[in-house]
Amino acid sequence: MSVQIDEIRKVAKLAKLSIDESQVSDVCDGFNQILGLVDKMQQCDTDNIKPLANPHDAKQRLRADEVTATNERDKLMQVAPETEDGLFLVPKVID
Amino acid sequence: MQWETVIGLEVHVQLATQSKIFSGASTAFGQSPNTQANAVDLALPGTLPVVNEQAVDYAIRFGLAIGSDICRETVFERKNYFYPDLPKNYQTSQMDAPIVEAGHLDIQLANGEEKRIRIHHAHLEEDAGKSLHEDFHGQTGIDLNRAGTPLLEIVTEPDIRSIEEAVAFAKKLHSLVTSIEVSDGEMSQGSMRFDVNISVRPMGQEEFGTRTETKNLNSFKFMEDCIALEVERQIEVLESGGSITQETRLYNGQTKVAKSMRTKEEANDYRYFPCPDLLPIEITDERIERVRGELPELPEAKCARFIEAFGLSDYDANLLTQDSTTAKFFEKTTGLCSDAKLVANWLLGDVAAMLNAQELTLSESKLTPELLAGLISRIKDKTISSKIAKTVFEKMMTEGLDADAIIEKEGLKQESDEGAIEKMVDEVLAANPEQVANYKAAPPEKRKKMSGFFVGQIMKASKGKANPGVVNQLLAKKLSD
């Protein structure tokens, strides 16, 4: 499997990455090298192997349903670029 | 040409946990913005999610209630998309190994038939925050209180063939999730939201037509209106030789206008992959059996028990068991005043009318089982008539006092003293000699109707407080003298 330059642009758009036009071709080559490696891995017979969701041989621990967090809005808002009336402000988004 | 509608639903149900699915922040509704969003909900670097056990147990409980198998090793995945109210830039959701596998829900149709709607699966995920597009100097305000609230997304097979079936399914599902208490089901607070996939095909055709998806409908009525509109639109397009574009649509319930949000070409590629921050969750036999033991009575079983134990009609029992709040309220009130029939009549009559008029749910209103039982007890012991009870009820709701306090304060106690009532009867008869003469001259079969005039006058004179039984008895005696 390999990708073309158009697909690189699409993936970059979805990932909100801006790639300079002069670099698109290099990124595409890099992508295709990795995909080549994936192709190689695809040659392994995995028919009777359960997909691995996580490499750790452990199970998720669960927590009790208790409210443990306190209101830290003021502190958390200090790291935000802009806030108003308890809201975080971001560039205008329209549906 | 005759067209057949094909509908599949995706329903988001907010689970009734105290804390969020991956953090210890509260899920309480309607709090000041961002006061319930902690570092995990804000996706600050270095934070890690820890799964809420209750959310997992609620999902299992739902799965058991719809007869599905529970996935023994369920996995959270990342659904990647960018939106400012989604702080991580991905939603932690499930894809390949959802917790609830295939199940079903049977719906009852108006013609008495039962139809089985298959449920493809149900999965756990987190809710996003809220974007406020009012003008913040040309910016958007973000409230992340809702971010991380646990949701169960229930996905049906495309088995629904009409608006009636879609609404019946939605109502049945609402009744189920509230009865088994995995959700409060408060639609106005977004606790249950529907995404509707709609297509049409010529009647008899096997292959499905191209579908559209309308997102985020938060009332049964909006869903009904939206389906009607979309089916009509699709048929119109097809009959005029056009074709349906696969797209996501938005429906505004207030203006009843739908519009296209994005087409398939612009659709997000969500690039799902297992979330490396969360290990697979092992669901043991012990857990499933424990949850099975906690499963509350299902609506159908409750309805049958209400008919059997309280002697209610099928109709009343069915209405009272639509949601667990009403069913519980009914049982508690009946326990306090031991008159199931009267309680049912009040809940489905005056109480329902009041809630409707004030646009409240039972749990939002001031009414408690104690208040209603207090009122019904005074009807039963004849302190007040049924008619006066309506006045007392209205005052109870506006003033928040109990029935006894209102009866005392307003002097509404029913007058059963024969001497006092006799005096009123005499006065009314003396004031209306002409009507008395007419009555006496009338043939017996007309008299019953004519006596209504006197009863009315006497009740009016007593301000509605005279015991109607005593009034009728004394009046009959006086008029026959």
Side-chain angles (χ1 to χ4, degrees), chain B residues 439 442-450:
Chain B
Y439 177 90
E445 67 271 17
K446 287 205 173 160
R447 286 185 173 179
K448 193 169 167 11
K449 205 174 166 194
M450 296 173 77

Side-chain angles (χ1 to χ4, degrees), chain B residues 232-249:
Chain B
E232 194 185 41
R233 185 190 71 89
Q234 290 191 10
I235 292 174
E236 226 174 81
V237 169
L238 293 170
E239 288 193 338
S240 60
S243 60
I244 303 299
T245 311
Q246 188 175 336
E247 62 186 354
T248 304
R249 298 176 66 82

Side-chain angles (χ1 to χ4, degrees), chain A residues 63 65 68 73 84 86 88 92, chain B residues 19 23 33-34 51 137 142:
Chain A
R63 55 167 247 280
D65 179 25
T68 52
R73 183 173 77 183
E84 188 177 312
F88 296 103
K92 185 103 185 156
Chain B
S19 64
S23 88
N34 291 308
V51 181
H137 331 289
I142 305 290

Side-chain angles (χ1 to χ4, degrees), chain A residues 10-11 14-16 50 52-54 56 58-73 76-77 79 82 84-95, chain B residues 17-21 23-24 32-35 37-38 42 44 50-54 73 75 82-84 132-133 136-142 271 274 276 278-280 282 287:
Chain A
K10 186 186 171 201
V11 171
L14 288 169
K16 303 282 167 192
K50 231 173 89 183
L52 184 70
N54 194 292
H56 298 291
K59 294 287 175 275
Q60 178 66 38
R61 288 181 56 162
L62 305 176
R63 55 167 247 280
D65 179 25
E66 284 163 11
V67 177
T68 52
T70 50
N71 174 15
E72 294 186 299
R73 183 173 77 183
L76 293 168
M77 292 223 144
V79 295
E82 263 188 279
E84 188 177 312
D85 296 340
L87 297 165
F88 296 103
L89 295 187
V90 299
K92 185 103 185 156
V93 277
I94 301 157
D95 271 316
Chain B
T17 56
Q18 301 300 307
S19 64
K20 294 189 176 171
I21 187 168
S23 88
S32 191
N34 291 308
T35 55
N38 73 358
L42 263 58
L44 292 190
V50 190
V51 181
N52 185 335
E53 181 170 25
Q54 188 65 67
E73 197 173 300
V75 176
F82 178 83
Y83 204 75
L132 298 144
H133 300 292
F136 293 99
H137 331 289
Q139 291 174 295
T140 293
I142 305 290
R271 297 154 290 148
L278 290 160
L279 295 159
E282 186 180 31
R287 180 176 293 277

Side-chain angles (χ1 to χ4, degrees), chain B residues 267-286:
Chain B
N268 281 312
D269 174 349
Y270 292 124
R271 297 154 290 148
Y272 278 94
F273 62 87
C275 179
D277 285 348
L278 290 160
L279 295 159
I281 301 172
E282 186 180 31
I283 297 182
T284 61
D285 288 346
E286 290 74 38

